Amino acid sequence: MKAIELLEGHPKAAELIRAWFIEKMIESMKDADNIPDEFKEFMREQGIDNEKLSIMIDAQPRSFFEVFDAKEIFINVFYVVGKFHAQISDNDAETESTIRKDAEVGIIEHAFRILEEKLTPIDVQLEE
């Protein structure tokens, strides 16, 4: 599944990931401490749309593992006998591929679903 579909299909997860990404962008700027607060707030207000964010996720899925870690969705990638395996701790989600990035992309799909569930109140989940 493409990242754009993950973002559109998991709106609460997308909102959290978008906010996390913007904060990482601000932090990564040289001399971030010297950047005026007004400019930082402007960047937060402008945000980043799903299309641009999806390009980043598709290109470097591993760089987004940190946002999942923060919500205790721990992704493990390891190599065994010619294949990369990716799994989420305390969950049955697992993918495998001969290409590391493909294993990462596969497990991100599961991570989005789990994150969306964590961000959705129980009463809404019961209604569905």
Side-chain angles (χ1 to χ4, degrees):
M1 182 176 290
K2 290 284 189 185
I4 189 73
E5 295 166 334
L6 291 173
L7 291 165
E8 290 173 352
H10 303 90
K12 291 181 185 332
E15 183 179 330
L16 179 74
I17 291 168
R18 185 177 301 103
W20 174 86
F21 183 78
I22 292 292
E23 292 306 315
K24 286 296 174 187
M25 248 177 38
I26 291 169
E27 287 175 20
S28 72
M29 292 180 184
K30 188 176 179 180
D31 297 325
D33 292 337
N34 296 329
I35 295 173
D37 289 339
E38 296 82 24
F39 182 74
K40 292 176 186 177
E41 191 55 37
F42 171 77
M43 287 186 63
R44 289 182 187 105
E45 288 172 7
Q46 290 298 306
I48 183 170
D49 63 32
N50 280 351
E51 191 170 312
K52 289 182 180 88
L53 186 57
S54 71
I55 292 168
M56 301 300 295
I57 294 170
D58 283 335
Q60 293 293 326
R62 187 180 333 155
S63 63
F64 289 83
F65 285 9
E66 185 179 325
V67 73
F68 296 111
D69 287 351
K71 292 298 183 181
E72 298 184 354
I73 302 168
F74 301 111
I75 297 172
N76 303 300
V77 180
F78 53 95
Y79 185 80
V80 178
V81 193
K83 288 189 179 176
F84 289 96
H85 299 262
Q87 64 185 32
I88 296 176
S89 297
D90 300 328
N91 192 284
D92 293 337
E94 185 174 343
T95 62
E96 64 179 45
S97 177
T98 56
I99 300 168
R100 181 184 183 106
K101 185 176 174 186
D102 290 347
E104 293 168 355
V105 167
I107 204 67
I108 284 274
E109 292 180 27
H110 295 286
F112 261 85
R113 178 184 48 76
I114 294 166
L115 180 57
E116 187 74 13
E117 289 171 4
K118 283 186 171 214
L119 296 173
T120 302
I122 295 252
D123 56 332
V124 173
Q125 290 178 17
L126 294 175
E127 291 174 10
E128 294 175 350

PDB file of all heavy atoms in Angstrom, residues 26 32-45:
ATOM      1  N   ILE A  26      11.632  21.482  12.076  1.00  0.00           N
ATOM      2  CA  ILE A  26      12.040  22.693  12.799  1.00  0.00           C
ATOM      3  C   ILE A  26      13.315  22.419  13.595  1.00  0.00           C
ATOM      4  O   ILE A  26      14.259  23.208  13.560  1.00  0.00           O
ATOM      5  CB  ILE A  26      10.903  23.198  13.722  1.00  0.00           C
ATOM      6  CG1 ILE A  26       9.749  23.739  12.871  1.00  0.00           C
ATOM      7  CG2 ILE A  26      11.411  24.261  14.690  1.00  0.00           C
ATOM      8  CD1 ILE A  26       8.479  24.028  13.654  1.00  0.00           C
ATOM      9  N   ALA A  32      18.331  26.133  15.252  1.00  0.00           N
ATOM     10  CA  ALA A  32      16.883  26.128  15.498  1.00  0.00           C
ATOM     11  C   ALA A  32      16.503  26.985  16.699  1.00  0.00           C
ATOM     12  O   ALA A  32      15.421  27.589  16.713  1.00  0.00           O
ATOM     13  CB  ALA A  32      16.388  24.700  15.694  1.00  0.00           C
ATOM     14  N   ASP A  33      17.391  27.085  17.668  1.00  0.00           N
ATOM     15  CA  ASP A  33      17.093  27.901  18.846  1.00  0.00           C
ATOM     16  C   ASP A  33      17.020  29.383  18.506  1.00  0.00           C
ATOM     17  O   ASP A  33      16.374  30.160  19.213  1.00  0.00           O
ATOM     18  CB  ASP A  33      18.145  27.673  19.936  1.00  0.00           C
ATOM     19  CG  ASP A  33      18.066  26.262  20.515  1.00  0.00           C
ATOM     20  OD1 ASP A  33      16.993  25.639  20.413  1.00  0.00           O
ATOM     21  OD2 ASP A  33      19.085  25.793  21.059  1.00  0.00           O
ATOM     22  N   ASN A  34      17.697  29.783  17.440  1.00  0.00           N
ATOM     23  CA  ASN A  34      17.720  31.190  17.053  1.00  0.00           C
ATOM     24  C   ASN A  34      16.607  31.574  16.086  1.00  0.00           C
ATOM     25  O   ASN A  34      16.468  32.741  15.726  1.00  0.00           O
ATOM     26  CB  ASN A  34      19.078  31.557  16.433  1.00  0.00           C
ATOM     27  CG  ASN A  34      20.200  31.424  17.445  1.00  0.00           C
ATOM     28  OD1 ASN A  34      19.997  31.618  18.633  1.00  0.00           O
ATOM     29  ND2 ASN A  34      21.378  31.072  16.974  1.00  0.00           N
ATOM     30  N   ILE A  35      15.839  30.601  15.656  1.00  0.00           N
ATOM     31  CA  ILE A  35      14.732  30.883  14.736  1.00  0.00           C
ATOM     32  C   ILE A  35      13.587  31.490  15.539  1.00  0.00           C
ATOM     33  O   ILE A  35      13.200  30.952  16.575  1.00  0.00           O
ATOM     34  CB  ILE A  35      14.268  29.597  14.018  1.00  0.00           C
ATOM     35  CG1 ILE A  35      15.401  29.082  13.128  1.00  0.00           C
ATOM     36  CG2 ILE A  35      13.010  29.850  13.207  1.00  0.00           C
ATOM     37  CD1 ILE A  35      15.119  27.737  12.510  1.00  0.00           C
ATOM     38  N   PRO A  36      13.043  32.604  15.091  1.00  0.00           N
ATOM     39  CA  PRO A  36      11.956  33.253  15.838  1.00  0.00           C
ATOM     40  C   PRO A  36      10.756  32.321  16.029  1.00  0.00           C
ATOM     41  O   PRO A  36      10.405  31.545  15.137  1.00  0.00           O
ATOM     42  CB  PRO A  36      11.572  34.443  14.952  1.00  0.00           C
ATOM     43  CG  PRO A  36      12.723  34.656  14.037  1.00  0.00           C
ATOM     44  CD  PRO A  36      13.388  33.323  13.868  1.00  0.00           C
ATOM     45  N   ASP A  37      10.145  32.416  17.184  1.00  0.00           N
ATOM     46  CA  ASP A  37       8.973  31.596  17.485  1.00  0.00           C
ATOM     47  C   ASP A  37       7.851  31.824  16.486  1.00  0.00           C
ATOM     48  O   ASP A  37       7.099  30.905  16.159  1.00  0.00           O
ATOM     49  CB  ASP A  37       8.471  31.881  18.904  1.00  0.00           C
ATOM     50  CG  ASP A  37       9.411  31.334  19.966  1.00  0.00           C
ATOM     51  OD1 ASP A  37      10.204  30.423  19.653  1.00  0.00           O
ATOM     52  OD2 ASP A  37       9.337  31.817  21.110  1.00  0.00           O
ATOM     53  N   GLU A  38       7.747  33.043  15.963  1.00  0.00           N
ATOM     54  CA  GLU A  38       6.709  33.350  14.980  1.00  0.00           C
ATOM     55  C   GLU A  38       6.890  32.514  13.714  1.00  0.00           C
ATOM     56  O   GLU A  38       5.917  32.056  13.119  1.00  0.00           O
ATOM     57  CB  GLU A  38       6.718  34.847  14.603  1.00  0.00           C
ATOM     58  CG  GLU A  38       6.375  35.783  15.734  1.00  0.00           C
ATOM     59  CD  GLU A  38       7.562  36.076  16.662  1.00  0.00           C
ATOM     60  OE1 GLU A  38       8.740  35.950  16.253  1.00  0.00           O
ATOM     61  OE2 GLU A  38       7.297  36.418  17.825  1.00  0.00           O
ATOM     62  N   PHE A  39       8.160  32.345  13.317  1.00  0.00           N
ATOM     63  CA  PHE A  39       8.429  31.549  12.120  1.00  0.00           C
ATOM     64  C   PHE A  39       8.105  30.078  12.373  1.00  0.00           C
ATOM     65  O   PHE A  39       7.519  29.403  11.524  1.00  0.00           O
ATOM     66  CB  PHE A  39       9.880  31.700  11.664  1.00  0.00           C
ATOM     67  CG  PHE A  39      10.176  30.928  10.409  1.00  0.00           C
ATOM     68  CD1 PHE A  39       9.703  31.369   9.185  1.00  0.00           C
ATOM     69  CD2 PHE A  39      10.887  29.737  10.455  1.00  0.00           C
ATOM     70  CE1 PHE A  39       9.947  30.651   8.024  1.00  0.00           C
ATOM     71  CE2 PHE A  39      11.134  29.011   9.301  1.00  0.00           C
ATOM     72  CZ  PHE A  39      10.662  29.474   8.089  1.00  0.00           C
ATOM     73  N   LYS A  40       8.463  29.577  13.553  1.00  0.00           N
ATOM     74  CA  LYS A  40       8.151  28.184  13.905  1.00  0.00           C
ATOM     75  C   LYS A  40       6.642  27.968  13.896  1.00  0.00           C
ATOM     76  O   LYS A  40       6.155  26.958  13.381  1.00  0.00           O
ATOM     77  CB  LYS A  40       8.735  27.839  15.273  1.00  0.00           C
ATOM     78  CG  LYS A  40      10.245  27.791  15.299  1.00  0.00           C
ATOM     79  CD  LYS A  40      10.746  27.535  16.707  1.00  0.00           C
ATOM     80  CE  LYS A  40      12.249  27.635  16.787  1.00  0.00           C
ATOM     81  NZ  LYS A  40      12.747  27.449  18.154  1.00  0.00           N
ATOM     82  N   GLU A  41       5.907  28.924  14.459  1.00  0.00           N
ATOM     83  CA  GLU A  41       4.450  28.819  14.481  1.00  0.00           C
ATOM     84  C   GLU A  41       3.881  28.882  13.067  1.00  0.00           C
ATOM     85  O   GLU A  41       2.941  28.160  12.734  1.00  0.00           O
ATOM     86  CB  GLU A  41       3.843  29.918  15.361  1.00  0.00           C
ATOM     87  CG  GLU A  41       2.383  29.721  15.650  1.00  0.00           C
ATOM     88  CD  GLU A  41       2.056  28.379  16.270  1.00  0.00           C
ATOM     89  OE1 GLU A  41       2.831  27.870  17.097  1.00  0.00           O
ATOM     90  OE2 GLU A  41       1.002  27.814  15.892  1.00  0.00           O
ATOM     91  N   PHE A  42       4.462  29.724  12.227  1.00  0.00           N
ATOM     92  CA  PHE A  42       4.055  29.800  10.831  1.00  0.00           C
ATOM     93  C   PHE A  42       4.223  28.445  10.154  1.00  0.00           C
ATOM     94  O   PHE A  42       3.336  27.987   9.426  1.00  0.00           O
ATOM     95  CB  PHE A  42       4.880  30.880  10.109  1.00  0.00           C
ATOM     96  CG  PHE A  42       4.683  30.880   8.621  1.00  0.00           C
ATOM     97  CD1 PHE A  42       3.536  31.418   8.056  1.00  0.00           C
ATOM     98  CD2 PHE A  42       5.650  30.335   7.778  1.00  0.00           C
ATOM     99  CE1 PHE A  42       3.346  31.407   6.674  1.00  0.00           C
ATOM    100  CE2 PHE A  42       5.473  30.325   6.409  1.00  0.00           C
ATOM    101  CZ  PHE A  42       4.317  30.861   5.851  1.00  0.00           C
ATOM    102  N   MET A  43       5.369  27.786  10.389  1.00  0.00           N
ATOM    103  CA  MET A  43       5.602  26.469   9.798  1.00  0.00           C
ATOM    104  C   MET A  43       4.568  25.454  10.282  1.00  0.00           C
ATOM    105  O   MET A  43       4.057  24.651   9.505  1.00  0.00           O
ATOM    106  CB  MET A  43       7.015  25.969  10.119  1.00  0.00           C
ATOM    107  CG  MET A  43       8.092  26.689   9.336  1.00  0.00           C
ATOM    108  SD  MET A  43       9.715  25.969   9.602  1.00  0.00           S
ATOM    109  CE  MET A  43       9.484  24.334   8.941  1.00  0.00           C
ATOM    110  N   ARG A  44       4.259  25.511  11.572  1.00  0.00           N
ATOM    111  CA  ARG A  44       3.252  24.587  12.121  1.00  0.00           C
ATOM    112  C   ARG A  44       1.888  24.832  11.481  1.00  0.00           C
ATOM    113  O   ARG A  44       1.165  23.885  11.164  1.00  0.00           O
ATOM    114  CB  ARG A  44       3.169  24.755  13.633  1.00  0.00           C
ATOM    115  CG  ARG A  44       4.385  24.219  14.357  1.00  0.00           C
ATOM    116  CD  ARG A  44       4.247  24.367  15.877  1.00  0.00           C
ATOM    117  NE  ARG A  44       5.482  24.003  16.521  1.00  0.00           N
ATOM    118  CZ  ARG A  44       6.340  24.881  17.052  1.00  0.00           C
ATOM    119  NH1 ARG A  44       6.054  26.185  17.040  1.00  0.00           N
ATOM    120  NH2 ARG A  44       7.462  24.466  17.603  1.00  0.00           N
ATOM    121  N   GLU A  45       1.530  26.100  11.302  1.00  0.00           N
ATOM    122  CA  GLU A  45       0.246  26.439  10.696  1.00  0.00           C
ATOM    123  C   GLU A  45       0.188  26.023   9.229  1.00  0.00           C
ATOM    124  O   GLU A  45      -0.842  25.563   8.749  1.00  0.00           O
ATOM    125  CB  GLU A  45      -0.026  27.934  10.826  1.00  0.00           C
ATOM    126  CG  GLU A  45      -0.348  28.363  12.235  1.00  0.00           C
ATOM    127  CD  GLU A  45      -0.436  29.873  12.391  1.00  0.00           C
ATOM    128  OE1 GLU A  45      -0.369  30.598  11.371  1.00  0.00           O
ATOM    129  OE2 GLU A  45      -0.562  30.339  13.539  1.00  0.00           O
TER     130      GLU A  45
END
